Amino acid sequence: MPKYAALLPHMLHGCDYNPEQWMYDPAILRQDIEHMKEAHINCVSLGIFAWAALEPKEGEYHLDWLAEVIDNLYQNGIYTVLATPSGARPAWMAKKYPEVLRTGADRVRALMGGRHNHCYTSPVYREKVRAINTQLAARFAKHPGVILWHISNEIQGECHCELCQAAFRAWLREKYGTLEKLNHEWWTMFWSHTYSDWDEIESPSWRGETNVHGLNLDWKRFVSHQTAEFFRNEIEPLKAANPAIPVTTNFMGFHDSFDYYKLLPLLDVVSWDSYPTWHNSTDGNEMYNALWSDAYSDICRSMLGKPFLLMENTPSQTNWHEVCRPKHPGILRLTSITKLAHGADSIQYFQWRQSRGCSEKFHGAVMTHANRTDTRVFREVSSVGTMLEKLDRLCGAKTKAKAAILFDTENGWAIRDAKGPRNQDMGYQELFFRFYEPLWKAGIPVDIVNADMDFSGYHLLCVPMLYLLRGDTAKRIADFTKQGGTVILTMHTGLVNENDLCYMGDTPAEGLAEVAGVRLLEMDPLYDNQHETMRITRTPFPMAESYRCGKLCERISAEGAEVLAVYETDSPVLPDNMPCLTKNEFGRGTAYYVAAFAEHRFFSDLLLSLAERLGIAPVLDTTLPEGVTASARMAEGGEMFWFLMNWTAEQKSVNLPFPLRDFESGRSYQNVIPLAPYGAKILVKAE
Ligand code: GLA
Ligand code: ZN
């Protein structure tokens, strides 16, 4: 059981709550509690950005108001997710200690303002954070109403101040030992960028150095390290006061200003904030918004191998999309169910009450300025709460995936930074989605792992564009295959080492050429309007005759691998009959190599055929209608929950392989289950 579920064996239904903005009107705060109960809210996130209210003057801590709020909530059955306030700081601090403010890559220090505007190296800032966190912990770490620490808020970004430069140099000394080694690993003889003193090293900046790729990569690694150290400083006083209270911080989908995976050893539970642009299509099909957000849920679920929390989503609209459309009737329920389906143990909102002023005054909230509960949004929130109250048994339920996709932050940075072979977008994320989408559409559970995570237990491992190889990843891929796994490698794999130096000799490097039984001859990147054709010559399973490919086509030679498809082209670089898709038996396993950035249909055909051969089954043995997704979780004791989501404006029906019962209504369905437009169902086995 995850720790938070042990503390509160219910699905969390909560919201960000900023009572500090409403202290002038105690009636509002009293009302809030009554209205929260009406909305079936069982937890709130308190204290986010509340530093000015908690420490209005240096060293003067005002925690009584917070204690009163936490007590009142608790007495009314509402738990607290307590935030540390480091995401934004009081003006007095910025004035007195300018070093707490962030310095940009242009070496200009920011003025007081905004949020996430701090230096994570500054000893003063770390000390101030530690001091306020110590106060919060002393007062609340043993409060029965406090169930979770929420560290800062959407931690992100980098600082280039002198303190950070010094820390960066120290980090580099630790990593490389000698300047000679660093100069070699960064290849600094290029353009005469050789360093002769550690103090000459500066973080990357458009005003100075951006061309030393090893520097760029190490800088991002340093930012990740420093963020994790800042984080450790935040949690030490909290854990010292009560190690039983778990710790989380809210991630932003696919955000990579630092490497989230470096925080995982410090987190008890992963949480994320989900804000897709619902209703941005012309045909009412929400599939592509769902694809993106379900993929990120699967990333979060895979990070610690257990359920995550949905820390934020809007009950209606945001205020920062290009056009801030409110969720249409029923969409909140549908999007809540898809989060549960992909591993969430909570549905939480930003926010309870719309602020009256400043930049979020028009952001959606459960309570709007009208201050009424008889609104559509309030009713929808409340009915999500009622649904969650029935789902205690789902808390902590696991997803069992036999297939995994390797998607790695550092690899993404390196591909983006590489200068060539395409500077228009190499499409790393796009290729990831070509693998994810067909599995998702078929209802096949998939984990998403980074290059450091253990993937030995899967049956199928998809490895899009693993350009950068670090540590023993290549060896683990080889072992995985040798021991009977099926791996799919693609173009643009195994080209640089962990410091972004190109491998000498044959690639894919580090033994991956042997695993795949192929060797790279040339890369042929294409403009977006150019295409090549892949012609299937023989496959062990049904595929179409040919597929379109674009973006990046590799000319490879088969060195022992069986050729399953070839190019059919006029290109002199990729003459006809050069291999394009290969298969290699390696040890007890099999490696496929996809040399060209092929169209969606290719990945769908390949993956679904492979899944079938490998016994990787969808959660329901049925063909899902277009626009419907399915997922499942297994609760403690083996009870299965299935989820069906209809992302279209049309009525759909799903053929059932066995009778299922609607968990909410109790109604059983023998052969077919209807799904209303944008409908979603939570199902269990019918007796
Ligand atoms: C983020 C933040 C919140 C709020 C919302 C608005 O997720 O964490 O504080 O600003 O965005 O959508
Ligand atoms: Zn700094």
Side-chain angles (χ1 to χ4, degrees), residues 150-170:
H150 175 303
I151 305 302
S152 198
N153 190 72
E154 294 192 340
I155 301 173
Q156 57 185 289
E158 54 189 46
C159 177
H160 296 257
C161 75
E162 277 309 318
L163 294 165
C164 287
Q165 303 294 344
F168 181 40
R169 289 174 199 132

Side-chain angles (χ1 to χ4, degrees), residues 16 48-49 115-116 153-154 250 252 273-275 312 314 317-320 350 360 363:
D16 277 28
I48 301 170
F49 308 129
R115 50 188 199 180
H116 314 298
N153 190 72
E154 294 192 340
N250 44 349
M252 295 171 276
D273 300 344
S274 172
Y275 292 101
E312 292 180 23
T314 177
Q317 72 236 92
T318 69
N319 69 329
W320 52 267
F350 180 85
E360 286 180 339
H363 197 290

Side-chain angles (χ1 to χ4, degrees), residues 420-426 491-492 522-528 530-532 549-555 567 571 573-574 595 597:
R422 262 178 66 100
N423 297 315
Q424 268 191 332
D425 178 19
M426 286 290 297
M491 81 300 299
H492 216 55
E522 282 189 71
M523 302 179 191
D524 194 7
L526 305 182
Y527 285 92
D528 279 349
Q530 299 175 326
H531 293 98
E532 299 292 355
C549 15
K551 258 198 170 89
L552 192 56
C553 297
E554 279 182 352
R555 178 177 176 173
Y567 287 105
S571 159
V573 177
L574 299 167
F597 206 118

Side-chain angles (χ1 to χ4, degrees), residues 369-382:
H369 302 134
N371 203 28
R372 306 179 67 93
T373 55
D374 58 353
T375 64
R376 170 179 76 85
V377 170
F378 190 95
R379 275 193 298 275
E380 292 198 30
V381 165
S382 165

Side-chain angles (χ1 to χ4, degrees), residues 226-242:
Q226 209 65 350
T227 304
E229 285 308 301
F230 180 82
F231 197 89
R232 189 190 305 280
N233 176 67
E234 284 232 24
I235 63 177
E236 264 167 13
L238 312 178
K239 288 287 182 185
N242 183 1

Side-chain angles (χ1 to χ4, degrees), residues 99 101-103 109 118-122 158-165:
E99 72 165 63
L101 294 170
R102 191 165 282 190
T103 296
R109 195 185 294 287
H118 67 266
C119 170
Y120 39 57
T121 303
S122 154
E158 54 189 46
C159 177
H160 296 257
C161 75
E162 277 309 318
L163 294 165
C164 287
Q165 303 294 344

